[in-house]
Amino acid sequence: MKLYPINTGNFKLDGGAMFGVVPKSIWQRTNPADNNNMCDWAMRSLLIEDGDRLMLIDTGMGTKQSDKFFGYYYMFGNDSLDGSLAKHGFTRDDITDVFLTHLHFDHCGGSIQWNKNRTGYEPAFKNAKFWSNQRHWKWATEPNGRERASFLKENIIPIEESGQLNFLDDSNQFLNNAFKDIDVFFANGHTDAQMIPHIKYKGKTLVFMADLLPSVGHIPLPYVMGYDTRPLLTLDEKETFLNTAADNGFVLFLEHDSINECCTVQHTEKGVRLKDKFSFSEIFD
């Protein structure tokens, strides 16, 4: 098995929304904001090569949305999905599996693209199976008012219409059969049935954090995003997970931290806190 970080792009979001009830005077120490209160965030995916399978975890925001849409999220930088895949010698057509942690637009938007005539949509990975789970799919396709703006139909419905949609069940049968070194933790605080992959790699456990832990600035328990639908549940899920991560030396792969690719955590008198932060290559190459 080989793993490759894939940077699909960078964008900006309101710092207050990203840190919920935590005051700006505190969160800006780790995540400084610009004059419009916007902080920089990454959309970092992970590519897993295992035998004849090539699985991409999350796909970023994509490029098909309107100028008005991108005017809200301020995409910037030179990173792209295609460019990052090419750095490792791959194209979209090589991808056999796309694993979607959840269906918010910044995690799944790159899964779907315009067709050649721009008359409709098609999968951006024509040879891939797309993996979600039934509970989250129902949640995303029948959205609540709080999340409706994050679950965009053009990102989701074309996956089902393509015939390439598959569901992961609670037994992780797909992962056990095809990717034997991957387990999945289901988290429900941010959105219902978000999937957090745990990957055994080179003697360590690497965890793709998705939106359970967007950045190192979110490690203290009260630092919960305003976007979370069940913030008190997120508190419990974070506490359980971070204690387990500290006990077992998990390496946390950060999808949204614009500076730090990975980190570890440790127990302290104040609870679980940051231990080390580093690039993926520093620990695995």
Side-chain angles (χ1 to χ4, degrees):
M1 179 189 288
K2 294 182 180 179
L3 305 185
Y4 311 91
I6 300 295
N7 297 319
T8 71
N10 297 279
F11 70 126
K12 292 179 179 287
L13 282 177
D14 182 85
M18 286 298 287
F19 287 96
V21 300
V22 179
K24 180 180 180 180
S25 59
I26 298 177
W27 58 252
Q28 70 176 353
R29 299 171 190 169
T30 56
N31 297 78
D34 63 19
N35 292 334
N36 293 317
N37 208 50
M38 308 291 279
C39 299
D40 295 349
W41 304 100
M43 290 177 288
R44 186 176 294 113
S45 300
L46 186 66
L47 188 65
I48 302 175
E49 183 181 16
D50 193 2
D52 60 355
R53 305 295 285 269
L54 194 65
M55 182 165 74
L56 183 66
I57 302 178
D58 282 355
T59 62
M61 196 179 296
T63 59
K64 68 181 176 299
Q65 303 302 138
S66 67
D67 290 341
K68 181 179 179 180
F69 176 90
F70 288 119
Y72 296 134
Y73 299 106
Y74 307 97
M75 293 279 288
F76 68 95
N78 297 318
D79 289 327
S80 69
L81 175 59
D82 289 317
S84 294
L85 288 173
K87 288 179 182 178
H88 301 294
F90 301 110
T91 70
R92 298 182 189 212
D93 292 351
D94 297 319
I95 305 299
T96 63
D97 301 273
V98 174
F99 182 101
L100 299 171
T101 61
H102 61 296
L103 296 167
H104 287 167
F105 64 82
D106 53 317
H107 295 259
C108 76
S111 301
I112 297 297
Q113 62 188 9
W114 285 107
N115 60 19
K116 290 183 178 180
N117 298 323
R118 294 181 70 87
T119 57
Y121 302 108
E122 64 184 12
F125 305 90
K126 64 182 183 181
N127 298 317
K129 295 181 178 180
F130 290 84
W131 295 92
S132 182
N133 66 80
Q134 286 184 319
R135 189 153 56 94
H136 183 66
W137 189 266
K138 179 176 175 61
W139 184 268
T141 55
E142 300 173 13
N144 58 78
R146 185 180 177 87
E147 287 183 280
R148 184 169 289 112
S150 294
F151 290 131
L152 305 181
K153 290 182 178 180
E154 60 267 32
N155 289 337
I156 300 172
I157 302 304
I159 299 176
E160 183 175 33
E161 292 175 342
S162 73
Q164 295 171 236
L165 175 64
N166 295 265
F167 290 133
L168 185 69
D169 62 29
D170 292 339
S171 70
N172 293 346
Q173 183 177 1
F174 155 70
L175 296 175
N176 291 334
N177 290 342
F179 294 88
K180 295 181 174 60
D181 293 320
I182 302 177
D183 290 314
V184 175
F185 168 69
F186 287 82
N188 301 292
H190 176 62
T191 188
D192 205 53
Q194 177 184 203
M195 301 191 292
I196 308 296
H198 290 50
I199 305 155
K200 296 177 182 177
Y201 186 59
K202 294 188 175 181
K204 300 181 182 296
T205 296
L206 179 76
V207 185
F208 187 93
M209 293 310 305
D211 280 343
L212 179 61
L213 192 76
S215 73
V216 296
H218 289 85
I219 291 173
L221 291 182
Y223 291 52
V224 173
M225 290 190 291
Y227 299 110
D228 285 23
T229 59
R230 306 181 184 105
L232 294 180
L233 180 55
T234 297
L235 281 172
D236 290 340
E237 291 173 338
K238 276 180 63 179
E239 183 173 24
T240 298
F241 172 80
L242 289 173
N243 277 301
T244 301
D247 288 342
N248 294 280
F250 290 173
V251 176
L252 311 185
F253 185 90
L254 303 168
E255 185 165 11
H256 285 315
D257 195 308
S258 64
I259 298 173
N260 308 292
E261 285 186 328
C262 300
C263 73
T264 53
V265 294
Q266 61 186 342
H267 295 289
T268 74
E269 293 180 355
K270 295 183 178 181
V272 176
R273 292 291 187 270
L274 176 69
K275 182 179 181 181
D276 294 307
K277 48 189 178 181
F278 38 82
S279 68
F280 180 88
S281 61
E282 284 179 299
I283 192 167
F284 287 117
D285 286 356

